[in-house]
């Protein structure tokens, strides 16, 4: 027998023994050779092997976070503690009758990840309530050539969510610039829990930068121990802030905070994974991404960004979206982006200083507001009849009423503000809640 063949046989025997061990203590798992039996001597060795192979601890690592809500789809994201393929069981009734299971990943193989699971749930109906629970299959990819499914673990909780749509009244809340600051996250999530909106628009700068996947997990899946299920029943619509483009893992953030279903956007706009047009009753929510707050040409940015092209592509997308029924038939239109589109102070940098953002006329060498985006999108907002544009970035509340050059109200939310929107008595009411002072800064009404 050749040396290579001997080694292959040794590997085969080793994997067969381990397979037998798994059969004794975990009957639901199949053996490699299909025999399933074991002698007492083998069983002894098997017990040792089982000690090595027994999963330790809970596999589900966080409560589920609903992301990218739409009429017919939602993404369910949660942390796992070990290589796993997450799944979601969805039912039309609270007793989970006739639940359908959906696994991680869209491709021909389950998506297996050691830290988190993203489960895309599709084929839902608009304006409808569903119930769901999450679980995961522990997948062992280390035993030779064959992946092992070590069995399912389920989170015992049953959660509920409602798909969005034009037929159901609802509300939205906006948060911005939380920067993973513990006290801020606690305050704004407590306010959202009290307000119980239909959806949360997380309007950027969720964190300063993303060095690793754990940074993103801590920000989105486990943002605060007192609010572990903050988005298990209230879905999040995430828009990038300038900081959300920074750090090694920021380049892969869509792996954990997934892009919206590409089917929403149509051909040519696949790159616009954060943009959305979504109805909540009479209100059309329009999500846009202002990108980085530095020029693509700024030497500090390493030449890796193409925000100018990205903003133009969004302009083409927006021009098409405002002609579609979801926007045209909406009584109210509200737009969101992270960087403000206006500033009354002439000393604030408008973000169009070439090539490096530095100009002695301005207070800082970075964009306090985005004149380029204002020029690209502003006329489309006017054409569509947008009532208000809600932004952040400046970490301080400000309200800019319409003026001679701008028909839409411009609102800047502070770090500890929760902006609430809902239709009451046929009017759109926007309230800015200050979560430190526990007061309402302003209440606006649009009719
Ligand atoms: Fe910020
Ligand atoms: Fe920012």
């Amino acid at each position: 027998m050749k040396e290579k063949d001997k080694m292959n046989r040794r590997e085969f025997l080793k994997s067969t023994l381990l397979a037998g061990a798994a059969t004794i203590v975990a009957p639901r798992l199949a053996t490699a050779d299909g025999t399933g039996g074991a002698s007492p001597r083998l069983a002894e060795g098997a017990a040792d092997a089982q000690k090595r192979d027994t999963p330790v601890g809970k596999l589900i690592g966080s409560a589920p976070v609903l992301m990218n809500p739409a009429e017919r789809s939602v993404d369910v994201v949660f942390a796992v503690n070990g290589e796993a393929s997450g799944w979601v069981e969805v039912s039309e009734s609270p007793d989970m009758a006739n639940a359908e299971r959906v696994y991680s990943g869209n491709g021909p193989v389950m998506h297996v990840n050691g830290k988190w699971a993203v489960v895309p749930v599709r084929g839902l109906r608009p304006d409808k309530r569903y119930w769901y629970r999450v679980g995961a299959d522990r997948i062992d990819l280390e035993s030779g050539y064959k992946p092992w499914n070590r069995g399912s673990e389920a989170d015992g909780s049953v959660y509920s969510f409602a798909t969005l749509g034009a037929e159901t009244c609802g509300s939205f809340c906006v948060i911005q610039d939380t920067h993973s600051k513990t006290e801020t996250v606690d305050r704004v999530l407590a306010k959202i829990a009290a307000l119980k909106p239909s959806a949360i628009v997380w309007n950027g700068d969720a964190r300063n930068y993303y060095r690793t996947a754990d940074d993103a997990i801590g920000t989105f899946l486990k943002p605060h121990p007192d609010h572990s299920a903050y988005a298990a029943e209230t879905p999040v619509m995430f828009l990038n802030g300038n900081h959300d483009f920074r750090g090694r893992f920021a380049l892969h953030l869509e792996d954990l905070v997934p892009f919206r279903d590409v089917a929403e956007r149509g051909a040519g706009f696949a790159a616009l994974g954060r943009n959305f047009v979504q109805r909540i009753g009479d209100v059309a929510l329009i999500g846009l991404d202002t990108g980085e707050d530095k020029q693509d040409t700024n030497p500090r940015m390493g030449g890796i960004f193409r925000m100018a092209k990205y903003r133009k592509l969004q302009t083409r997308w927006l021009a098409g979206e405002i002609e579609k029924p979801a926007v045209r038939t909406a009584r109210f239109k509200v737009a969101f982006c992270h960087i403000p589109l206006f500033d009354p102070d002439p000393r604030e940098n408008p973000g169009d200083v070439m090539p490096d953002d530095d100009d002695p006329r301005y207070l800082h060498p970075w964009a306090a507001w985005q004149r380029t985006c204002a020029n690209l999108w502003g006329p489309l907002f006017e054409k569509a009849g947008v009532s208000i544009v809600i932004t952040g970035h400046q970490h301080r509340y400000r309200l800019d009423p319409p003026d001679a050059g701008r028909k839409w109200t411009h609102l800047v939310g502070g770090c500890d503000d929760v902006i609430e929107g809902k239709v009451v008595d046929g009017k759109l009411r926007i309230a800015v809640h200050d979560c430190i002072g526990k007061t309402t800064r302003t209440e606006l009404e649009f009719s």
Side-chain angles (χ1 to χ4, degrees):
M1 187 180 287
K2 293 178 183 173
E3 191 60 27
K4 184 180 170 192
D5 290 334
K6 284 182 192 169
M7 287 179 68
N8 284 344
R9 179 169 166 70
R10 276 201 297 273
E11 285 299 311
F12 170 77
L13 288 172
K14 185 177 157 195
S15 61
T16 303
L17 285 172
L18 289 175
T23 304
I24 293 165
V25 294
R28 60 174 294 147
L29 301 175
T31 57
D33 60 4
T35 58
S39 68
R41 189 185 171 93
L42 273 180
E44 214 169 87
D48 290 341
Q50 172 61 18
K51 281 179 195 165
R52 292 195 301 273
D53 288 353
T54 300
V56 175
K58 274 182 68 181
L59 186 54
I60 311 298
S62 76
V65 174
L66 299 171
M67 295 186 184
N68 300 328
E71 284 88 348
R72 299 180 185 280
S73 61
V74 72
D75 294 321
V76 185
V77 187
F78 52 94
V80 294
N81 300 316
E83 298 275 24
S85 180
W87 47 259
V88 175
E89 289 178 335
V90 185
S91 171
E92 295 184 9
S93 73
D95 64 1
M96 297 302 292
N98 303 314
E100 289 190 29
R101 185 179 287 195
V102 186
Y103 276 94
S104 302
N106 292 311
V109 183
M110 285 179 180
H111 188 247
V112 178
N113 186 295
K115 288 180 177 287
W116 71 88
V118 175
V119 183
V121 179
R122 303 289 181 262
L124 303 172
R125 281 184 279 165
D127 302 291
K128 182 169 171 53
R129 181 155 293 280
Y130 292 88
W131 285 260
Y132 77 104
R133 62 186 164 215
V134 303
D137 283 9
R138 189 182 291 273
I139 307 296
D140 185 349
L141 295 168
E142 302 302 323
S143 300
Y145 65 91
K146 186 170 182 178
W148 290 98
N149 190 328
R150 302 287 182 190
S152 291
E153 288 183 31
D155 177 359
S157 304
V158 173
Y159 302 98
S160 174
F161 69 93
T163 49
L164 303 183
E167 302 302 319
T168 306
C169 290
S171 63
F172 62 86
C173 279
V174 193
I175 56 174
Q176 54 282 310
D177 297 288
T178 42
H179 287 276
S180 270
K181 287 190 292 186
T182 305
E183 303 80 12
T184 293
V185 170
D186 183 22
R187 282 191 279 264
V188 299
L189 293 187
K191 187 65 182 177
I192 284 172
L195 295 173
K196 296 184 171 40
S198 309
I200 303 163
V201 178
W202 198 333
N203 204 5
D205 281 6
R207 190 178 186 88
N208 289 344
Y209 66 98
Y210 302 82
R211 193 170 54 83
T212 65
D214 288 332
D215 286 347
I217 289 169
T219 301
F220 295 101
L221 306 185
K222 305 178 195 180
H224 192 282
D226 293 345
H227 307 284
S228 55
Y230 78 103
E233 301 197 324
T234 306
V236 171
M237 309 165 88
F238 178 68
L239 289 167
N240 290 313
N242 48 304
H243 282 274
D244 302 303
F245 288 103
R246 297 177 188 172
R248 181 183 291 272
F249 191 76
L251 304 178
H252 308 281
L253 193 60
E254 66 266 29
D255 293 345
L256 192 144
V257 183
F259 280 175
R260 294 183 68 91
D261 188 354
V262 71
E264 291 181 20
R265 301 190 287 289
F269 299 112
L272 306 186
R274 297 290 179 221
N275 291 79
F276 56 79
V277 166
Q278 181 56 61
R279 286 287 290 270
I280 296 182
D282 289 335
V283 185
L285 311 180
I286 303 170
L288 290 150
D289 186 347
T290 38
E292 257 293 354
D293 68 352
K294 315 249 181 350
Q295 292 285 4
D296 296 346
T297 48
N298 190 320
R300 284 186 288 166
M301 306 314 283
I304 67 170
F305 294 113
R306 291 189 285 273
M307 298 298 166
K309 187 178 171 188
Y310 182 50
R311 293 172 187 131
K312 284 180 188 165
L313 184 62
Q314 291 181 76
T315 308
R316 280 177 34 218
W317 168 82
L318 180 62
E321 290 298 311
I322 63 173
E323 301 299 336
K324 293 180 181 175
V327 175
R328 277 198 295 105
T329 65
R331 188 159 174 197
F332 304 102
K333 292 100 179 175
V334 180
F336 310 87
C337 58
H338 176 73
I339 299 178
L341 300 185
F342 174 76
D343 200 297
D345 187 341
R347 297 172 304 161
E348 292 293 358
N349 192 321
D352 52 9
V353 179
M354 290 291 283
D356 62 357
D357 302 288
D358 214 354
D359 187 311
R361 288 178 295 169
Y362 302 126
L363 294 171
H364 308 286
W366 40 264
W369 65 288
Q370 245 299 333
R371 182 156 54 193
T372 301
C373 290
N375 290 338
L376 289 170
W377 304 339
L380 297 171
F381 291 158
E382 293 202 6
K383 186 178 179 187
V386 168
S387 299
I388 183 168
V389 177
I390 297 175
T391 68
H393 184 58
Q394 296 189 352
H395 295 197
R396 192 190 306 177
Y397 163 77
R398 195 181 73 240
L399 177 67
D400 304 314
D403 61 21
R406 176 174 39 79
K407 289 185 177 170
W408 29 276
T409 298
H410 183 253
L411 176 60
V412 183
C415 299
D416 292 274
D417 292 339
V418 171
I419 300 164
E420 179 191 22
K422 60 185 173 186
V423 175
V424 180
D425 298 331
K427 295 177 180 172
L428 172 63
R429 280 192 194 164
I430 303 286
V432 182
H433 303 288
D434 167 14
C435 298
I436 293 180
K438 300 197 183 302
T439 59
T440 298
R441 295 185 188 278
T442 190
E443 279 187 283
L444 307 169
E445 201 168 78
F446 300 88
S447 52

